[in-house]
């Protein structure tokens, strides 16, 4: 009979190098699922939020209901949101993506709308005076000027989505949340800590990546400061 | 539609309202957790934010703590706390996690509110011979009240949401109805629990909205009325 291995896994320590090397595949799979859930939902939310915000800006009557609806959606706790979608999507990754889309939508619509509203009236009048039509005004003047606020919203939405995706573990599609959930049930400290830290790392990296994109897209904000 | 009527039937069954797993008990737990943790968080965050805001120090910390709070998954913190020795203390991990997530919005909003007070007004108060303490209580805090309250509101909504997730890590509250529904593979119960949580969260938000509407003009958010 061989003696039970006396490594950090057997001792159930919080930090464990053995865990990283022996469970590499599981970790990579969970990270990939996490990235997929987050990226997909933020992208879908962005595609829906942009026209909604433009509509609310152009047509004042729509602003009230759009903002009220997004506030209501944002108030509903994530666990309840995923559960309410259960009859529609069943136990699937679509359910988690749909829930995350609804949250990201709120943050994006509010921020893009705030950005569009902050475009100075003089600027728009100047563009109109130069013969810009409404479409050209929107695409070449208003949207670029709203970009910093929109990007701020996108960063908050992405970071929140990374964190909220873990709750998707309730339906078995939570990326790293699955590992945390399983680790909780088996009292597996190294797994819970590793998955949690990876979550925070993904959130920080995504935030930095978007900050870089923002710098590239809005060179004029840097020129003004420098 | 079938699921909605099933969920309604589940809610209408009086047997589901009584007992230790009943709706009334879970609702009370949720309410107590939210209110107690909101009070604890306010007691921790507001004095710190008011003093820092008055002195104009520690701004980077007060503002960035919200961003850090957002990046850390609630669920992960709950499970991590559960696995520490704290996990043996019943609702201990839940309370700590709830407070941890309610403090950042309170701190950030109160600090920004204090710093946002018109410097001219503060100098006028100083010119009238007010001491630092008098300026804090009679000038800066009242003028910062709208933003402080908006921080309390965000914290309350955050608390309701976190208390729901606590059910995943074995905590009490309305979330338990949802997790129990998942364990029983009972979609009506899951949906009924979710509806209860959503209504509860919207009621909390509604109470703050009503309080803001009823408050005297000076205590309301500028530019909203």
């Amino acid at each position: 009979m061989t003696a039970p291995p006396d490594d950090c896994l057997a001792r159930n320590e919080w930090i464990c190098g053995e865990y990283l090397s022996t469970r590499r595949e599981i970790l990579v799979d969970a990270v990939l699922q996490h990235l997929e859930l987050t990226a997909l939902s933020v992208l879908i939310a962005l595609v829906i939020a942009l026209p909604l915000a433009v509509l609310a800006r152009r047509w004042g009557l729509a602003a009230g209901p759009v903002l009220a609806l997004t506030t209501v959606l944002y108030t509903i706790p994530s666990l309840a949101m995923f559960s309410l979608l259960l009859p529609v999507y069943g136990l699937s990754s679509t359910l988690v993506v749909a829930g995350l889309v609804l949250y990201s939508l709120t943050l994006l619509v509010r921020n893009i709308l705030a950005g569009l509203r902050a475009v100075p009236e003089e600027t728009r009048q100047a563009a109109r005076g130069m013969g810009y039509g409404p479409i050209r005004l929107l695409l070449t003047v208003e949207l670029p000027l709203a970009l910093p606020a929109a990007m701020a919203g996108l960063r908050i939405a992405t970071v929140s989505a990374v964190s909220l995706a873990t709750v998707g573990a309730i339906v078995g599609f939570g990326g790293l949340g699955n590992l945390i959930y399983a680790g909780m049930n088996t009292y597996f400290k190294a797994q819970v800590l590793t998955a949690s830290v990876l979550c925070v790392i993904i959130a920080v990296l995504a935030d930095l990546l978007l900050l870089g994109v923002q710098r590239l897209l809005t060179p004029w904000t840097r020129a003004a400061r420098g | 539609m079938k699921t909605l009527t099933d969920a309604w039937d589940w809610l209408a069954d009086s047997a589901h309202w009584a007992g230790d797993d009943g709706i009334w008990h879970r609702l009370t737990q949720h309410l107590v957790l939210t209110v107690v943790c909101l009070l604890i968080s306010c007691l921790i965050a507001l004095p710190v934010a008011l003093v820092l805001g008055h002195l104009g120090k520690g701004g980077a910390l007060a503002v960035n703590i919200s961003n850090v709070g957002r990046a850390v998954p609630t669920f992960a913190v709950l499970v991590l706390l559960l696995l520490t020795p704290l996990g043996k203390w019943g609702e201990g991990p839940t309370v700590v996690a709830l407070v941890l997530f309610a403090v950042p919005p309170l701190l950030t909003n109160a600090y920004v509110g204090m710093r946002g007070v018109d410097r001219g007004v503060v100098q006028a108060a100083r010119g009238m011979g007010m001491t630092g303490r008098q300026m804090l209580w009679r000038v800066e805090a009242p003028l910062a009240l709208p933003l402080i309250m908006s921080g309390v509101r965000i914290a309350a909504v955050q608390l309701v949401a976190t208390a729901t997730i606590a059910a995943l890590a074995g905590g009490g509250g309305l979330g338990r109805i949802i997790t129990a529904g998942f364990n029983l593979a009972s979609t009506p119960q899951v949906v009924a629990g979710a509806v209860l949580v959503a209504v509860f969260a919207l009621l909390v938000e509604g109470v703050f909205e009503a309080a803001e509407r009823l408050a005297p003009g000076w205590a309301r958010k500028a530019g909203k009325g």
Side-chain angles (χ1 to χ4, degrees):
Chain A
M1 235 183 90
T2 51
D6 183 38
D7 56 10
C8 55
L9 278 175
R11 287 195 301 271
N12 195 15
E13 284 172 5
W14 284 106
I15 299 165
C16 182
E18 281 286 292
Y19 175 74
L20 286 179
S21 54
T22 54
R23 315 289 164 100
R24 178 168 294 159
E25 256 174 57
I26 301 177
L27 282 169
V28 170
D29 283 350
V31 167
L32 287 180
Q33 189 186 63
H34 210 105
L35 290 176
E36 196 185 319
L37 289 170
T38 324
L40 197 59
S41 46
V42 173
L43 281 178
I44 295 175
L46 190 60
V47 171
I48 305 175
L50 201 57
L52 273 182
V54 170
L55 183 77
R57 175 77 185 105
R58 272 296 143 85
W59 191 43
L61 276 178
V66 164
L67 283 178
L69 182 69
T70 50
T71 306
V72 166
L73 286 176
Y74 201 66
T75 308
I76 297 175
S78 50
L79 188 64
M81 181 76 92
F82 290 143
S83 306
L84 283 173
L85 294 169
L86 181 67
V88 188
Y89 297 107
L91 296 172
S92 66
S93 60
T94 321
L95 180 150
V96 180
V97 171
L100 293 177
V101 165
L102 290 176
Y103 284 117
S104 313
L105 198 59
T106 306
L107 292 164
L108 289 173
V109 168
R110 272 190 206 163
N111 276 273
I112 299 175
L113 189 58
L116 287 174
R117 279 180 172 164
V119 175
E121 187 56 36
E122 294 85 355
T123 312
R124 294 192 303 157
Q125 282 181 354
R128 263 191 226 113
M130 287 171 72
Y132 278 43
I135 305 280
R136 200 161 150 225
L137 175 70
L138 178 72
L139 292 180
T140 60
V141 179
E142 288 180 303
L143 282 182
L145 286 178
L147 206 57
M151 284 303 290
L154 189 62
R155 284 170 60 197
I156 297 176
T158 309
V159 171
S160 307
V162 170
S163 146
L164 281 175
T166 52
V167 180
I170 184 83
V171 291
F173 292 91
L176 290 160
N178 290 343
L179 295 184
I180 299 176
Y181 198 47
M184 175 184 80
N185 291 329
T186 53
Y187 227 80
F188 195 168
K189 289 179 179 173
Q191 176 157 310
V192 172
L193 186 65
T194 311
S196 307
V197 170
L198 280 174
C199 262
V200 176
I201 292 177
I202 292 179
V204 171
L205 286 182
D207 196 40
L208 288 177
L209 179 75
L210 287 172
L211 184 66
V213 172
Q214 182 180 352
R215 289 263 167 92
L216 283 179
L217 286 178
T218 56
W220 63 87
T221 52
R222 249 179 314 161
R225 221 176 286 153
Chain B
M1 275 301 108
K2 173 91 171 62
T3 339
L4 281 182
T5 50
D6 282 350
W8 177 254
D9 289 342
W10 193 91
L11 281 174
D13 188 346
S14 62
H16 293 140
W17 288 76
D20 264 3
D21 291 329
I23 297 171
W24 283 125
H25 184 229
R26 294 300 181 203
L27 191 66
T28 320
Q29 272 183 328
H30 212 105
L31 190 65
V32 169
L33 267 178
T34 311
V35 172
V36 169
C37 292
L38 186 60
L39 286 178
I40 299 177
S41 319
C42 284
L43 284 177
I44 296 174
L46 293 185
V48 175
L50 291 186
V51 169
L52 286 182
H54 174 69
L55 299 174
K57 281 179 183 150
L61 173 84
V63 173
N64 284 321
I65 197 168
S66 272
N67 298 333
V68 175
R70 201 178 290 117
V72 180
T74 324
F75 178 46
V77 171
L78 276 160
V79 175
L80 283 173
L81 287 169
L82 187 74
L83 297 189
T84 62
L86 199 71
K88 296 189 191 87
W89 290 76
E91 297 288 349
T94 313
V95 171
V96 174
L98 284 167
V99 171
L100 276 180
F101 281 96
V103 162
L106 284 168
L107 208 58
T108 304
N109 277 276
Y111 181 85
V112 171
M114 290 291 282
R115 294 314 293 163
V117 174
D118 189 342
R119 286 298 104 189
V121 176
V122 176
Q123 290 202 338
R126 192 187 304 263
M128 285 170 71
M130 280 193 174
T131 62
R133 188 183 293 253
Q134 283 173 326
M135 274 159 53
L136 197 162
W137 285 112
R138 300 194 186 163
V139 179
E140 290 171 305
L143 288 175
L145 195 63
L147 262 176
I148 296 177
M149 285 314 290
S150 109
V152 174
R153 178 178 172 167
I154 298 172
V157 172
Q158 172 83 52
L159 280 170
V160 174
T162 314
T164 316
I165 298 177
L168 275 179
L174 285 172
R176 280 296 272 274
I177 299 173
I178 299 178
T179 50
F182 271 106
N183 290 337
L184 297 167
S186 156
T187 308
Q189 181 173 344
V190 170
V191 175
V195 169
L196 285 171
V197 171
V199 169
F200 186 84
L202 289 172
L203 278 179
V204 169
E205 175 96 10
V207 166
F208 278 95
E209 178 78 33
E212 201 181 297
R213 295 250 166 115
L214 294 175
W218 59 266
R220 267 179 240 160
K221 249 178 269 178
K224 233 198 161 185

